Amino acid sequence: MHIRNGLSVDVEDYFHAEAITENLGRSNWNTMQSRIVQNTHRVLDLFSQYNVRATFFILGWAAERFPHLVRDIRSRGHEIGCHSYWHRLIYELTPDEFREDTRRAKDIIESAAGVEIIGYRAPSISITERSQWALEILQELGFRYDSSIFPIHHDLYGFPGHPRFLCHHGRDSKWNIVELPISTWRVGFLNLPFGGGGYLRILPLTYTHLAFRRVNECDQQPVIVYFHPWEIDPEQPRVQIPFRSRFRHYTNLDRMRKRVGALLQSYEFVPLCELLELNQNGNPMEIV
């Protein structure tokens, strides 16, 4: 079975990462040296080198300040998605706060891109069992799919009991949104992460390839890959943060571009919206 995998980029600056923001505060964002434009263009050039298209989930705060970057991404054939406005953890928001943040971001990004956006990725993948109420609000705001659930155990995010592959949330025509969970590799009774962010940077590439083959060949499912533009920027400013956060954020920044290139060379990738179309054209989806 020929498998096309989903490629996605969470477009945020290095100081938007939760590990840094929780130490510096959002009020200091405007004082930080921004590197988001140059780093995103490096990602775009890398994708052009391998002739692949992806979904770019863009932070509303960034789209408001750099609308030309949104247009550049769109002009190069990539899908535009929403990554919130303020990059706040969903489970720390009320439903009204989440609705306001998401609506604001969606309006700004759509205005810059000139197209309707249908996909959402939560900051720090923070739709969990206690914040899955956000999915119904996403549908209310016009989103057709979400990719914000990671079926693993983690101190910051995670929804271990969630299905590992594409599924519907909701059981009637009024409440029905598609979920594209972040990929995991099933080993025994555990779901192990591998397909993006710090896992792709820090874990051995042989482990990543093994997990890819397990999901593509054994499970016969696509892998959802994600990373951030700041992850291919080893020259970014260093911020004083606790050791665990420093390890997660800065390890192997100098190797990430090569690792992404190795995946692009080895597997076929499409934007996430195309996985949705493929599934609707014939493959059954689990209802949650």
Side-chain angles (χ1 to χ4, degrees), residues 104-121:
R104 180 182 183 185
K106 187 172 188 286
D107 288 347
I108 289 168
I109 297 166
E110 287 183 337
S111 177
V115 295
E116 180 185 9
I117 56 178
I118 64 170
Y120 181 85
R121 165 79 51 75

Side-chain angles (χ1 to χ4, degrees), residues 149-165:
I149 291 178
F150 211 157
I152 63 170
H153 291 278
H154 191 275
D155 62 305
L156 191 62
Y157 50 77
F159 194 155
H162 191 276
R164 294 173 54 223
F165 304 117

Side-chain angles (χ1 to χ4, degrees), residues 164 185-192 214:
R164 294 173 54 223
W185 174 24
R186 186 73 172 177
V187 178
F189 297 103
L190 295 176
N191 294 339
L192 301 182
R214 174 66 65 88

Side-chain angles (χ1 to χ4, degrees), residues 32-267:
M32 302 293 289
Q33 175 196 357
S34 177
R35 300 172 68 84
I36 194 170
V37 173
Q38 67 191 69
N39 286 334
T40 303
H41 276 109
R42 292 173 68 192
V43 174
L44 290 170
D45 291 343
L46 178 63
F47 288 174
S48 293
Q49 178 183 342
Y50 290 95
N51 194 30
V52 298
R53 293 178 302 113
T55 299
F56 284 71
F57 294 105
I58 302 173
L59 198 67
W61 185 93
E64 190 170 51
R65 286 156 180 78
F66 308 107
H68 62 282
L69 179 60
V70 181
R71 292 190 288 270
D72 289 346
I73 295 169
R74 176 64 183 167
S75 70
R76 293 175 75 162
H78 302 285
E79 181 193 11
I80 304 295
C82 179
H83 194 43
S84 85
Y85 184 89
W86 279 115
H87 205 272
R88 294 178 293 182
L89 298 172
I90 305 302
Y91 52 76
E92 293 183 350
L93 303 178
T94 67
D96 285 343
E97 288 171 335
F98 174 72
R99 182 181 290 105
E100 178 184 358
D101 178 278
T102 307
R103 180 184 289 117
R104 180 182 183 185
K106 187 172 188 286
D107 288 347
I108 289 168
I109 297 166
E110 287 183 337
S111 177
V115 295
E116 180 185 9
I117 56 178
I118 64 170
Y120 181 85
R121 165 79 51 75
S124 302
I125 327 172
S126 56
I127 294 185
T128 65
E129 189 169 7
R130 61 186 168 124
S131 58
Q132 57 184 314
W133 48 260
L135 295 167
E136 192 164 0
I137 295 175
L138 290 176
Q139 177 170 311
E140 170 193 319
L141 295 176
F143 292 95
R144 289 179 54 204
Y145 77 87
D146 172 71
S147 184
S148 307
I149 291 178
F150 211 157
I152 63 170
H153 291 278
H154 191 275
D155 62 305
L156 191 62
Y157 50 77
F159 194 155
H162 191 276
R164 294 173 54 223
F165 304 117
L166 188 151
C167 61
H168 274 302
H169 279 276
R171 298 181 181 276
D172 57 53
S173 59
K174 295 181 179 178
W175 165 215
N176 193 337
I177 189 167
V178 176
E179 180 64 36
L180 293 166
I182 305 299
S183 293
T184 57
W185 174 24
R186 186 73 172 177
V187 178
F189 297 103
L190 295 176
N191 294 339
L192 301 182
F194 69 95
Y199 306 109
L200 178 55
R201 270 189 294 115
I202 297 170
L203 297 175
L205 192 56
T206 52
Y207 167 89
T208 303
H209 282 301
L210 183 61
F212 250 90
R213 289 195 296 271
R214 174 66 65 88
V215 173
N216 280 176
E217 298 174 10
C218 298
D219 297 322
Q220 297 191 342
Q221 294 286 339
V223 171
I224 306 297
V225 170
Y226 74 97
F227 67 100
H228 310 83
W230 56 261
E231 291 188 277
I232 61 170
D233 179 18
E235 289 81 32
Q236 66 185 262
R238 286 329 197 240
V239 179
Q240 291 300 315
I241 53 180
F243 172 78
R244 182 172 63 175
S245 296
R246 190 163 65 249
F247 175 79
R248 289 175 174 176
H249 190 93
Y250 294 118
T251 299
N252 289 341
L253 293 177
D254 57 336
R255 300 181 182 181
M256 185 62 160
R257 189 183 188 282
K258 184 176 181 180
R259 292 190 174 197
V260 173
L263 297 185
L264 300 182
Q265 188 174 30
S266 302
Y267 309 100

